[in-house]
Amino acid sequence: MCPFLLHWMLEVTCFGSPVIAFSVLLCLAIIVVWCSLVYGASIMQDKDLRMYSPAESRTSRHLPCSHKLCQLGPSCKSPKQPCPYNINYYSENTSSSGLLVEDTLYLASSDGRTSVQASVIIGCGRRQSGDYLDGVAPDGLLGLGFGDISVPSFLAWAGLVRDSFSMCFQEDDSGRIFFGDQGVSTQQSTPFVPANGKYITYIVEVERFCIGAKCVGETSMQALVDSGSSFTYLPNDAYKRVTLEFDRQVNYSRYAFLGYPWEYCYKASPLELPDIPTVALMFAVNKSFVVTNPLFLINGKEGELTGFCLAVNSSEENLATIGQNFMTGHHMVFDRENSKLGWSRSDCRDIDTSIPVTTPPHNRPENPLPTNEQQSNPNGHAVAPAVAGKAPNTMDSSAASPSKVVSHFCLFLLLTQFAVIFVG
């Protein structure tokens, strides 16, 4: 189960142009698109719903129960029948179920003149429940976890990009995803922590929490880095110590705003933004992650600023969750190849120019969906490619000469009558 069902939507963009609102979970390892209307979802009534019909996609086919990637295969009546899936969340009564489908991702380079294809597995959602009925993911989910069935794993296995990806969130909640991106040389990093000897999701070790110039004692913890959570959650003991220190340093009056879930909220002047102490997470070797904006601003009826809250919640779990609000303003790099999390300050508009270029391999083979045998590698992870690949240019036959290409692509998920675009 994913620990939290997301309550925000990443508007994925391709070099500045927003295309589709897609929900992103780092603990989920599968693309899930809706193949039937989510009845009862009142929030969706004014949305342009984008349904996926495998029958109308020329490149789709059902994944059989006999395939190694079909986890529910043993429960099938026949090895040839379509493979079912079922995903449950900790959010009350929230789930998605349907069938697994193989389809094709079409990737384009930043100049738009080259293209690459990659076969992936998609969860074709037939039945949704719980929070999905409130419209938390109108277009579906993009899972980026460690599993063999996730998009980063397929792209890396096919030799298209390095086994890494990055995300960048802007203040307006839009964002960008780069597949194959391993970040910049000046970024800081900290290793991922395995769970029971395996890398299942993106967990890091936080040594301490710092408010202003004071680092709070007894705030070491393991934390799940997950864009699927809008806000950040801390274990109860650490939460109390952090929030009390924040409250001690803030020169504003506490105030309980009706309808907001946070404990530490304050009145503010409508004429200026709140002046608060810095909030930072400290990792090994004194590497610091400074949160650009840990606040949730509260506006009045006329749009004026009336107050703010420290957007951190307490949790009964021992595992903290670093949510999307703490990641905003950073270029977050999930380097699966080297098992580490990287970060650097960014406004998300400066990433295109900082992406390194690599020379593609010669005579790269076609990349169909991995077979059962090919999936059975010793480590159970995708094979990390050395460089990105380059496909023949279908738009301009004169572009066949070898040249350096950016190893990050805009991903075009060609489904029925629409394209989902990711930056990678």
Side-chain angles (χ1 to χ4, degrees), residues 242-277:
V242 169
T243 51
L244 285 173
E245 181 59 31
F246 180 86
D247 185 60
R248 188 184 69 81
Q249 295 188 33
V250 168
N251 192 24
Y252 293 89
S253 301
R254 288 273 297 276
Y255 187 81
F257 288 93
L258 186 63
Y260 292 89
W262 300 289
E263 182 180 4
Y264 286 87
C265 297
Y266 307 85
K267 284 187 176 181
S269 167
L271 302 178
E272 59 183 6
L273 292 175
D275 182 17
I276 64 166

PDB file of all heavy atoms in Angstrom, residues 242-277:
ATOM      1  N   VAL A 242       9.689  19.977  16.880  1.00  0.00           N
ATOM      2  CA  VAL A 242       9.889  20.902  15.757  1.00  0.00           C
ATOM      3  C   VAL A 242       8.902  22.063  15.821  1.00  0.00           C
ATOM      4  O   VAL A 242       9.267  23.230  15.675  1.00  0.00           O
ATOM      5  CB  VAL A 242       9.778  20.154  14.420  1.00  0.00           C
ATOM      6  CG1 VAL A 242       9.716  21.134  13.254  1.00  0.00           C
ATOM      7  CG2 VAL A 242      10.955  19.194  14.242  1.00  0.00           C
ATOM      8  N   THR A 243       7.630  21.766  16.025  1.00  0.00           N
ATOM      9  CA  THR A 243       6.615  22.822  16.015  1.00  0.00           C
ATOM     10  C   THR A 243       6.745  23.758  17.221  1.00  0.00           C
ATOM     11  O   THR A 243       6.513  24.968  17.107  1.00  0.00           O
ATOM     12  CB  THR A 243       5.206  22.207  15.983  1.00  0.00           C
ATOM     13  OG1 THR A 243       5.079  21.226  17.036  1.00  0.00           O
ATOM     14  CG2 THR A 243       4.934  21.538  14.639  1.00  0.00           C
ATOM     15  N   LEU A 244       7.130  23.220  18.376  1.00  0.00           N
ATOM     16  CA  LEU A 244       7.326  24.081  19.549  1.00  0.00           C
ATOM     17  C   LEU A 244       8.487  25.044  19.338  1.00  0.00           C
ATOM     18  O   LEU A 244       8.418  26.222  19.714  1.00  0.00           O
ATOM     19  CB  LEU A 244       7.565  23.225  20.795  1.00  0.00           C
ATOM     20  CG  LEU A 244       6.331  22.538  21.386  1.00  0.00           C
ATOM     21  CD1 LEU A 244       6.730  21.593  22.514  1.00  0.00           C
ATOM     22  CD2 LEU A 244       5.315  23.574  21.877  1.00  0.00           C
ATOM     23  N   GLU A 245       9.558  24.561  18.702  1.00  0.00           N
ATOM     24  CA  GLU A 245      10.692  25.451  18.424  1.00  0.00           C
ATOM     25  C   GLU A 245      10.324  26.494  17.377  1.00  0.00           C
ATOM     26  O   GLU A 245      10.712  27.665  17.479  1.00  0.00           O
ATOM     27  CB  GLU A 245      11.895  24.632  17.955  1.00  0.00           C
ATOM     28  CG  GLU A 245      13.139  25.457  17.667  1.00  0.00           C
ATOM     29  CD  GLU A 245      13.627  26.241  18.876  1.00  0.00           C
ATOM     30  OE1 GLU A 245      13.443  25.773  20.021  1.00  0.00           O
ATOM     31  OE2 GLU A 245      14.202  27.338  18.676  1.00  0.00           O
ATOM     32  N   PHE A 246       9.559  26.097  16.371  1.00  0.00           N
ATOM     33  CA  PHE A 246       9.090  27.055  15.371  1.00  0.00           C
ATOM     34  C   PHE A 246       8.225  28.117  16.026  1.00  0.00           C
ATOM     35  O   PHE A 246       8.388  29.320  15.778  1.00  0.00           O
ATOM     36  CB  PHE A 246       8.294  26.319  14.282  1.00  0.00           C
ATOM     37  CG  PHE A 246       7.770  27.213  13.191  1.00  0.00           C
ATOM     38  CD1 PHE A 246       8.552  27.523  12.096  1.00  0.00           C
ATOM     39  CD2 PHE A 246       6.480  27.736  13.256  1.00  0.00           C
ATOM     40  CE1 PHE A 246       8.065  28.351  11.076  1.00  0.00           C
ATOM     41  CE2 PHE A 246       5.986  28.555  12.262  1.00  0.00           C
ATOM     42  CZ  PHE A 246       6.787  28.867  11.161  1.00  0.00           C
ATOM     43  N   ASP A 247       7.320  27.690  16.885  1.00  0.00           N
ATOM     44  CA  ASP A 247       6.423  28.626  17.567  1.00  0.00           C
ATOM     45  C   ASP A 247       7.208  29.580  18.473  1.00  0.00           C
ATOM     46  O   ASP A 247       6.870  30.763  18.578  1.00  0.00           O
ATOM     47  CB  ASP A 247       5.399  27.842  18.387  1.00  0.00           C
ATOM     48  CG  ASP A 247       4.363  28.734  19.039  1.00  0.00           C
ATOM     49  OD1 ASP A 247       3.646  29.446  18.302  1.00  0.00           O
ATOM     50  OD2 ASP A 247       4.279  28.738  20.281  1.00  0.00           O
ATOM     51  N   ARG A 248       8.262  29.091  19.085  1.00  0.00           N
ATOM     52  CA  ARG A 248       9.073  29.931  19.972  1.00  0.00           C
ATOM     53  C   ARG A 248       9.779  31.041  19.198  1.00  0.00           C
ATOM     54  O   ARG A 248       9.936  32.158  19.701  1.00  0.00           O
ATOM     55  CB  ARG A 248      10.114  29.058  20.683  1.00  0.00           C
ATOM     56  CG  ARG A 248      10.896  29.778  21.777  1.00  0.00           C
ATOM     57  CD  ARG A 248      11.956  28.897  22.372  1.00  0.00           C
ATOM     58  NE  ARG A 248      13.040  28.624  21.425  1.00  0.00           N
ATOM     59  CZ  ARG A 248      14.042  29.482  21.194  1.00  0.00           C
ATOM     60  NH1 ARG A 248      14.089  30.657  21.811  1.00  0.00           N
ATOM     61  NH2 ARG A 248      14.985  29.159  20.325  1.00  0.00           N
ATOM     62  N   GLN A 249      10.152  30.759  17.962  1.00  0.00           N
ATOM     63  CA  GLN A 249      10.906  31.741  17.180  1.00  0.00           C
ATOM     64  C   GLN A 249      10.032  32.655  16.336  1.00  0.00           C
ATOM     65  O   GLN A 249      10.512  33.671  15.819  1.00  0.00           O
ATOM     66  CB  GLN A 249      11.908  31.013  16.272  1.00  0.00           C
ATOM     67  CG  GLN A 249      12.996  30.256  17.008  1.00  0.00           C
ATOM     68  CD  GLN A 249      14.063  29.721  16.060  1.00  0.00           C
ATOM     69  OE1 GLN A 249      14.370  30.338  15.036  1.00  0.00           O
ATOM     70  NE2 GLN A 249      14.639  28.570  16.400  1.00  0.00           N
ATOM     71  N   VAL A 250       8.773  32.316  16.176  1.00  0.00           N
ATOM     72  CA  VAL A 250       7.882  33.124  15.329  1.00  0.00           C
ATOM     73  C   VAL A 250       7.285  34.269  16.143  1.00  0.00           C
ATOM     74  O   VAL A 250       6.764  34.056  17.245  1.00  0.00           O
ATOM     75  CB  VAL A 250       6.762  32.245  14.731  1.00  0.00           C
ATOM     76  CG1 VAL A 250       5.677  33.101  14.115  1.00  0.00           C
ATOM     77  CG2 VAL A 250       7.340  31.305  13.686  1.00  0.00           C
ATOM     78  N   ASN A 251       7.329  35.453  15.600  1.00  0.00           N
ATOM     79  CA  ASN A 251       6.831  36.633  16.303  1.00  0.00           C
ATOM     80  C   ASN A 251       5.437  37.018  15.796  1.00  0.00           C
ATOM     81  O   ASN A 251       5.201  38.153  15.376  1.00  0.00           O
ATOM     82  CB  ASN A 251       7.806  37.801  16.127  1.00  0.00           C
ATOM     83  CG  ASN A 251       7.496  38.962  17.053  1.00  0.00           C
ATOM     84  OD1 ASN A 251       6.879  38.782  18.116  1.00  0.00           O
ATOM     85  ND2 ASN A 251       7.894  40.165  16.654  1.00  0.00           N
ATOM     86  N   TYR A 252       4.529  36.045  15.825  1.00  0.00           N
ATOM     87  CA  TYR A 252       3.151  36.279  15.397  1.00  0.00           C
ATOM     88  C   TYR A 252       2.217  35.630  16.416  1.00  0.00           C
ATOM     89  O   TYR A 252       2.602  34.726  17.158  1.00  0.00           O
ATOM     90  CB  TYR A 252       2.882  35.681  14.003  1.00  0.00           C
ATOM     91  CG  TYR A 252       3.631  36.354  12.886  1.00  0.00           C
ATOM     92  CD1 TYR A 252       4.905  35.917  12.521  1.00  0.00           C
ATOM     93  CD2 TYR A 252       3.076  37.421  12.189  1.00  0.00           C
ATOM     94  CE1 TYR A 252       5.601  36.525  11.484  1.00  0.00           C
ATOM     95  CE2 TYR A 252       3.761  38.037  11.152  1.00  0.00           C
ATOM     96  CZ  TYR A 252       5.026  37.582  10.811  1.00  0.00           C
ATOM     97  OH  TYR A 252       5.708  38.203   9.787  1.00  0.00           O
ATOM     98  N   SER A 253       0.973  36.070  16.406  1.00  0.00           N
ATOM     99  CA  SER A 253      -0.017  35.551  17.354  1.00  0.00           C
ATOM    100  C   SER A 253      -0.678  34.295  16.795  1.00  0.00           C
ATOM    101  O   SER A 253      -1.147  34.287  15.651  1.00  0.00           O
ATOM    102  CB  SER A 253      -1.094  36.615  17.637  1.00  0.00           C
ATOM    103  OG  SER A 253      -0.513  37.778  18.174  1.00  0.00           O
ATOM    104  N   ARG A 254      -0.706  33.251  17.623  1.00  0.00           N
ATOM    105  CA  ARG A 254      -1.386  32.016  17.221  1.00  0.00           C
ATOM    106  C   ARG A 254      -2.871  32.296  17.004  1.00  0.00           C
ATOM    107  O   ARG A 254      -3.492  33.095  17.702  1.00  0.00           O
ATOM    108  CB  ARG A 254      -1.233  30.949  18.319  1.00  0.00           C
ATOM    109  CG  ARG A 254       0.141  30.346  18.449  1.00  0.00           C
ATOM    110  CD  ARG A 254       0.344  29.155  17.514  1.00  0.00           C
ATOM    111  NE  ARG A 254      -0.549  28.055  17.793  1.00  0.00           N
ATOM    112  CZ  ARG A 254      -0.344  27.118  18.705  1.00  0.00           C
ATOM    113  NH1 ARG A 254       0.750  27.170  19.472  1.00  0.00           N
ATOM    114  NH2 ARG A 254      -1.203  26.134  18.875  1.00  0.00           N
ATOM    115  N   TYR A 255      -3.440  31.584  16.027  1.00  0.00           N
ATOM    116  CA  TYR A 255      -4.856  31.765  15.730  1.00  0.00           C
ATOM    117  C   TYR A 255      -5.384  30.475  15.106  1.00  0.00           C
ATOM    118  O   TYR A 255      -4.718  29.859  14.275  1.00  0.00           O
ATOM    119  CB  TYR A 255      -5.069  32.943  14.779  1.00  0.00           C
ATOM    120  CG  TYR A 255      -6.520  33.300  14.562  1.00  0.00           C
ATOM    121  CD1 TYR A 255      -7.209  34.075  15.490  1.00  0.00           C
ATOM    122  CD2 TYR A 255      -7.201  32.851  13.429  1.00  0.00           C
ATOM    123  CE1 TYR A 255      -8.544  34.399  15.288  1.00  0.00           C
ATOM    124  CE2 TYR A 255      -8.537  33.178  13.228  1.00  0.00           C
ATOM    125  CZ  TYR A 255      -9.199  33.940  14.169  1.00  0.00           C
ATOM    126  OH  TYR A 255     -10.524  34.263  13.974  1.00  0.00           O
ATOM    127  N   ALA A 256      -6.567  30.056  15.495  1.00  0.00           N
ATOM    128  CA  ALA A 256      -7.177  28.835  14.956  1.00  0.00           C
ATOM    129  C   ALA A 256      -8.099  29.199  13.797  1.00  0.00           C
ATOM    130  O   ALA A 256      -9.189  29.743  14.004  1.00  0.00           O
ATOM    131  CB  ALA A 256      -7.947  28.101  16.042  1.00  0.00           C
ATOM    132  N   PHE A 257      -7.667  28.924  12.592  1.00  0.00           N
ATOM    133  CA  PHE A 257      -8.489  29.191  11.409  1.00  0.00           C
ATOM    134  C   PHE A 257      -9.407  27.995  11.168  1.00  0.00           C
ATOM    135  O   PHE A 257      -8.953  26.851  11.062  1.00  0.00           O
ATOM    136  CB  PHE A 257      -7.603  29.433  10.184  1.00  0.00           C
ATOM    137  CG  PHE A 257      -6.878  30.744  10.212  1.00  0.00           C
ATOM    138  CD1 PHE A 257      -5.598  30.835  10.731  1.00  0.00           C
ATOM    139  CD2 PHE A 257      -7.478  31.899   9.723  1.00  0.00           C
ATOM    140  CE1 PHE A 257      -4.917  32.033  10.758  1.00  0.00           C
ATOM    141  CE2 PHE A 257      -6.810  33.109   9.757  1.00  0.00           C
ATOM    142  CZ  PHE A 257      -5.528  33.185  10.270  1.00  0.00           C
ATOM    143  N   LEU A 258     -10.693  28.251  11.073  1.00  0.00           N
ATOM    144  CA  LEU A 258     -11.672  27.197  10.916  1.00  0.00           C
ATOM    145  C   LEU A 258     -11.497  26.478   9.584  1.00  0.00           C
ATOM    146  O   LEU A 258     -11.372  27.102   8.526  1.00  0.00           O
ATOM    147  CB  LEU A 258     -13.093  27.783  11.004  1.00  0.00           C
ATOM    148  CG  LEU A 258     -14.251  26.781  10.998  1.00  0.00           C
ATOM    149  CD1 LEU A 258     -14.174  25.880  12.243  1.00  0.00           C
ATOM    150  CD2 LEU A 258     -15.592  27.512  10.942  1.00  0.00           C
ATOM    151  N   GLY A 259     -11.471  25.157   9.644  1.00  0.00           N
ATOM    152  CA  GLY A 259     -11.420  24.359   8.426  1.00  0.00           C
ATOM    153  C   GLY A 259     -10.026  23.998   7.950  1.00  0.00           C
ATOM    154  O   GLY A 259      -9.897  23.330   6.919  1.00  0.00           O
ATOM    155  N   TYR A 260      -9.001  24.415   8.680  1.00  0.00           N
ATOM    156  CA  TYR A 260      -7.637  24.090   8.275  1.00  0.00           C
ATOM    157  C   TYR A 260      -7.067  23.032   9.216  1.00  0.00           C
ATOM    158  O   TYR A 260      -7.288  23.091  10.432  1.00  0.00           O
ATOM    159  CB  TYR A 260      -6.768  25.346   8.264  1.00  0.00           C
ATOM    160  CG  TYR A 260      -7.165  26.314   7.163  1.00  0.00           C
ATOM    161  CD1 TYR A 260      -8.138  27.288   7.383  1.00  0.00           C
ATOM    162  CD2 TYR A 260      -6.594  26.215   5.903  1.00  0.00           C
ATOM    163  CE1 TYR A 260      -8.513  28.153   6.374  1.00  0.00           C
ATOM    164  CE2 TYR A 260      -6.969  27.082   4.883  1.00  0.00           C
ATOM    165  CZ  TYR A 260      -7.931  28.042   5.127  1.00  0.00           C
ATOM    166  OH  TYR A 260      -8.301  28.890   4.125  1.00  0.00           O
ATOM    167  N   PRO A 261      -6.315  22.073   8.692  1.00  0.00           N
ATOM    168  CA  PRO A 261      -5.919  20.905   9.492  1.00  0.00           C
ATOM    169  C   PRO A 261      -4.674  21.107  10.358  1.00  0.00           C
ATOM    170  O   PRO A 261      -4.286  20.184  11.059  1.00  0.00           O
ATOM    171  CB  PRO A 261      -5.644  19.842   8.420  1.00  0.00           C
ATOM    172  CG  PRO A 261      -5.143  20.628   7.251  1.00  0.00           C
ATOM    173  CD  PRO A 261      -5.910  21.921   7.274  1.00  0.00           C
ATOM    174  N   TRP A 262      -4.061  22.303  10.328  1.00  0.00           N
ATOM    175  CA  TRP A 262      -2.795  22.476  11.020  1.00  0.00           C
ATOM    176  C   TRP A 262      -2.963  23.102  12.394  1.00  0.00           C
ATOM    177  O   TRP A 262      -3.844  23.930  12.624  1.00  0.00           O
ATOM    178  CB  TRP A 262      -1.848  23.316  10.165  1.00  0.00           C
ATOM    179  CG  TRP A 262      -1.581  22.650   8.850  1.00  0.00           C
ATOM    180  CD1 TRP A 262      -0.836  21.530   8.630  1.00  0.00           C
ATOM    181  CD2 TRP A 262      -2.097  23.035   7.580  1.00  0.00           C
ATOM    182  NE1 TRP A 262      -0.847  21.189   7.299  1.00  0.00           N
ATOM    183  CE2 TRP A 262      -1.613  22.105   6.628  1.00  0.00           C
ATOM    184  CE3 TRP A 262      -2.922  24.078   7.138  1.00  0.00           C
ATOM    185  CZ2 TRP A 262      -1.928  22.192   5.279  1.00  0.00           C
ATOM    186  CZ3 TRP A 262      -3.230  24.161   5.806  1.00  0.00           C
ATOM    187  CH2 TRP A 262      -2.738  23.215   4.882  1.00  0.00           C
ATOM    188  N   GLU A 263      -2.091  22.719  13.284  1.00  0.00           N
ATOM    189  CA  GLU A 263      -2.150  23.164  14.671  1.00  0.00           C
ATOM    190  C   GLU A 263      -1.501  24.527  14.878  1.00  0.00           C
ATOM    191  O   GLU A 263      -1.979  25.340  15.675  1.00  0.00           O
ATOM    192  CB  GLU A 263      -1.462  22.124  15.555  1.00  0.00           C
ATOM    193  CG  GLU A 263      -1.496  22.428  17.040  1.00  0.00           C
ATOM    194  CD  GLU A 263      -0.807  21.355  17.856  1.00  0.00           C
ATOM    195  OE1 GLU A 263      -0.243  20.414  17.254  1.00  0.00           O
ATOM    196  OE2 GLU A 263      -0.821  21.452  19.100  1.00  0.00           O
ATOM    197  N   TYR A 264      -0.433  24.783  14.135  1.00  0.00           N
ATOM    198  CA  TYR A 264       0.322  26.022  14.340  1.00  0.00           C
ATOM    199  C   TYR A 264       0.035  27.007  13.207  1.00  0.00           C
ATOM    200  O   TYR A 264       0.687  27.011  12.166  1.00  0.00           O
ATOM    201  CB  TYR A 264       1.812  25.711  14.465  1.00  0.00           C
ATOM    202  CG  TYR A 264       2.126  25.078  15.799  1.00  0.00           C
ATOM    203  CD1 TYR A 264       2.016  23.696  15.967  1.00  0.00           C
ATOM    204  CD2 TYR A 264       2.477  25.851  16.900  1.00  0.00           C
ATOM    205  CE1 TYR A 264       2.257  23.105  17.194  1.00  0.00           C
ATOM    206  CE2 TYR A 264       2.720  25.262  18.136  1.00  0.00           C
ATOM    207  CZ  TYR A 264       2.612  23.900  18.282  1.00  0.00           C
ATOM    208  OH  TYR A 264       2.844  23.326  19.499  1.00  0.00           O
ATOM    209  N   CYS A 265      -0.999  27.825  13.460  1.00  0.00           N
ATOM    210  CA  CYS A 265      -1.414  28.857  12.513  1.00  0.00           C
ATOM    211  C   CYS A 265      -1.332  30.215  13.201  1.00  0.00           C
ATOM    212  O   CYS A 265      -1.438  30.324  14.425  1.00  0.00           O
ATOM    213  CB  CYS A 265      -2.838  28.602  12.016  1.00  0.00           C
ATOM    214  SG  CYS A 265      -3.037  27.056  11.085  1.00  0.00           S
ATOM    215  N   TYR A 266      -1.176  31.271  12.394  1.00  0.00           N
ATOM    216  CA  TYR A 266      -0.912  32.603  12.943  1.00  0.00           C
ATOM    217  C   TYR A 266      -1.613  33.671  12.117  1.00  0.00           C
ATOM    218  O   TYR A 266      -1.804  33.511  10.907  1.00  0.00           O
ATOM    219  CB  TYR A 266       0.600  32.882  12.948  1.00  0.00           C
ATOM    220  CG  TYR A 266       1.417  31.823  13.635  1.00  0.00           C
ATOM    221  CD1 TYR A 266       1.827  30.675  12.946  1.00  0.00           C
ATOM    222  CD2 TYR A 266       1.772  31.954  14.973  1.00  0.00           C
ATOM    223  CE1 TYR A 266       2.572  29.683  13.573  1.00  0.00           C
ATOM    224  CE2 TYR A 266       2.524  30.966  15.610  1.00  0.00           C
ATOM    225  CZ  TYR A 266       2.917  29.838  14.905  1.00  0.00           C
ATOM    226  OH  TYR A 266       3.649  28.875  15.532  1.00  0.00           O
ATOM    227  N   LYS A 267      -1.970  34.773  12.786  1.00  0.00           N
ATOM    228  CA  LYS A 267      -2.481  35.936  12.082  1.00  0.00           C
ATOM    229  C   LYS A 267      -1.321  36.658  11.417  1.00  0.00           C
ATOM    230  O   LYS A 267      -0.202  36.666  11.923  1.00  0.00           O
ATOM    231  CB  LYS A 267      -3.188  36.885  13.049  1.00  0.00           C
ATOM    232  CG  LYS A 267      -4.570  36.424  13.482  1.00  0.00           C
ATOM    233  CD  LYS A 267      -5.257  37.510  14.297  1.00  0.00           C
ATOM    234  CE  LYS A 267      -6.686  37.118  14.651  1.00  0.00           C
ATOM    235  NZ  LYS A 267      -7.372  38.177  15.421  1.00  0.00           N
ATOM    236  N   ALA A 268      -1.602  37.279  10.264  1.00  0.00           N
ATOM    237  CA  ALA A 268      -0.540  37.968   9.534  1.00  0.00           C
ATOM    238  C   ALA A 268      -1.048  39.278   8.980  1.00  0.00           C
ATOM    239  O   ALA A 268      -2.261  39.486   8.803  1.00  0.00           O
ATOM    240  CB  ALA A 268      -0.019  37.082   8.405  1.00  0.00           C
ATOM    241  N   SER A 269      -0.124  40.175   8.698  1.00  0.00           N
ATOM    242  CA  SER A 269      -0.464  41.456   8.087  1.00  0.00           C
ATOM    243  C   SER A 269      -0.732  41.262   6.604  1.00  0.00           C
ATOM    244  O   SER A 269       0.002  40.549   5.916  1.00  0.00           O
ATOM    245  CB  SER A 269       0.685  42.444   8.278  1.00  0.00           C
ATOM    246  OG  SER A 269       0.495  43.584   7.446  1.00  0.00           O
ATOM    247  N   PRO A 270      -1.789  41.896   6.082  1.00  0.00           N
ATOM    248  CA  PRO A 270      -2.077  41.766   4.650  1.00  0.00           C
ATOM    249  C   PRO A 270      -1.085  42.536   3.780  1.00  0.00           C
ATOM    250  O   PRO A 270      -1.115  42.408   2.555  1.00  0.00           O
ATOM    251  CB  PRO A 270      -3.489  42.356   4.527  1.00  0.00           C
ATOM    252  CG  PRO A 270      -3.596  43.311   5.662  1.00  0.00           C
ATOM    253  CD  PRO A 270      -2.807  42.715   6.778  1.00  0.00           C
ATOM    254  N   LEU A 271      -0.217  43.324   4.399  1.00  0.00           N
ATOM    255  CA  LEU A 271       0.688  44.196   3.642  1.00  0.00           C
ATOM    256  C   LEU A 271       2.037  43.557   3.355  1.00  0.00           C
ATOM    257  O   LEU A 271       2.803  44.079   2.538  1.00  0.00           O
ATOM    258  CB  LEU A 271       0.888  45.520   4.403  1.00  0.00           C
ATOM    259  CG  LEU A 271      -0.390  46.313   4.701  1.00  0.00           C
ATOM    260  CD1 LEU A 271      -0.060  47.562   5.489  1.00  0.00           C
ATOM    261  CD2 LEU A 271      -1.120  46.647   3.408  1.00  0.00           C
ATOM    262  N   GLU A 272       2.359  42.455   4.029  1.00  0.00           N
ATOM    263  CA  GLU A 272       3.664  41.854   3.808  1.00  0.00           C
ATOM    264  C   GLU A 272       3.619  40.354   4.077  1.00  0.00           C
ATOM    265  O   GLU A 272       2.786  39.874   4.853  1.00  0.00           O
ATOM    266  CB  GLU A 272       4.711  42.506   4.714  1.00  0.00           C
ATOM    267  CG  GLU A 272       4.391  42.379   6.202  1.00  0.00           C
ATOM    268  CD  GLU A 272       5.397  43.098   7.064  1.00  0.00           C
ATOM    269  OE1 GLU A 272       6.273  43.777   6.499  1.00  0.00           O
ATOM    270  OE2 GLU A 272       5.314  42.977   8.303  1.00  0.00           O
ATOM    271  N   LEU A 273       4.525  39.629   3.428  1.00  0.00           N
ATOM    272  CA  LEU A 273       4.619  38.193   3.647  1.00  0.00           C
ATOM    273  C   LEU A 273       5.235  37.914   5.013  1.00  0.00           C
ATOM    274  O   LEU A 273       6.027  38.711   5.518  1.00  0.00           O
ATOM    275  CB  LEU A 273       5.465  37.549   2.545  1.00  0.00           C
ATOM    276  CG  LEU A 273       4.852  37.542   1.143  1.00  0.00           C
ATOM    277  CD1 LEU A 273       5.844  36.990   0.133  1.00  0.00           C
ATOM    278  CD2 LEU A 273       3.555  36.725   1.114  1.00  0.00           C
ATOM    279  N   PRO A 274       4.872  36.804   5.625  1.00  0.00           N
ATOM    280  CA  PRO A 274       5.387  36.493   6.963  1.00  0.00           C
ATOM    281  C   PRO A 274       6.913  36.370   6.981  1.00  0.00           C
ATOM    282  O   PRO A 274       7.526  35.850   6.042  1.00  0.00           O
ATOM    283  CB  PRO A 274       4.735  35.145   7.283  1.00  0.00           C
ATOM    284  CG  PRO A 274       3.551  35.055   6.383  1.00  0.00           C
ATOM    285  CD  PRO A 274       3.919  35.786   5.140  1.00  0.00           C
ATOM    286  N   ASP A 275       7.514  36.863   8.035  1.00  0.00           N
ATOM    287  CA  ASP A 275       8.949  36.735   8.255  1.00  0.00           C
ATOM    288  C   ASP A 275       9.156  35.606   9.261  1.00  0.00           C
ATOM    289  O   ASP A 275       8.884  35.759  10.450  1.00  0.00           O
ATOM    290  CB  ASP A 275       9.524  38.048   8.790  1.00  0.00           C
ATOM    291  CG  ASP A 275      11.026  37.980   8.990  1.00  0.00           C
ATOM    292  OD1 ASP A 275      11.646  37.071   8.424  1.00  0.00           O
ATOM    293  OD2 ASP A 275      11.575  38.833   9.723  1.00  0.00           O
ATOM    294  N   ILE A 276       9.639  34.475   8.787  1.00  0.00           N
ATOM    295  CA  ILE A 276       9.742  33.291   9.644  1.00  0.00           C
ATOM    296  C   ILE A 276      11.174  32.772   9.632  1.00  0.00           C
ATOM    297  O   ILE A 276      11.961  33.081   8.719  1.00  0.00           O
ATOM    298  CB  ILE A 276       8.789  32.175   9.180  1.00  0.00           C
ATOM    299  CG1 ILE A 276       9.192  31.691   7.776  1.00  0.00           C
ATOM    300  CG2 ILE A 276       7.345  32.636   9.208  1.00  0.00           C
ATOM    301  CD1 ILE A 276       8.543  30.399   7.369  1.00  0.00           C
ATOM    302  N   PRO A 277      11.554  31.962  10.625  1.00  0.00           N
ATOM    303  CA  PRO A 277      12.881  31.346  10.614  1.00  0.00           C
ATOM    304  C   PRO A 277      12.979  30.279   9.530  1.00  0.00           C
ATOM    305  O   PRO A 277      11.963  29.739   9.079  1.00  0.00           O
ATOM    306  CB  PRO A 277      12.986  30.725  12.012  1.00  0.00           C
ATOM    307  CG  PRO A 277      11.575  30.454  12.414  1.00  0.00           C
ATOM    308  CD  PRO A 277      10.781  31.605  11.841  1.00  0.00           C
TER     309      PRO A 277
END
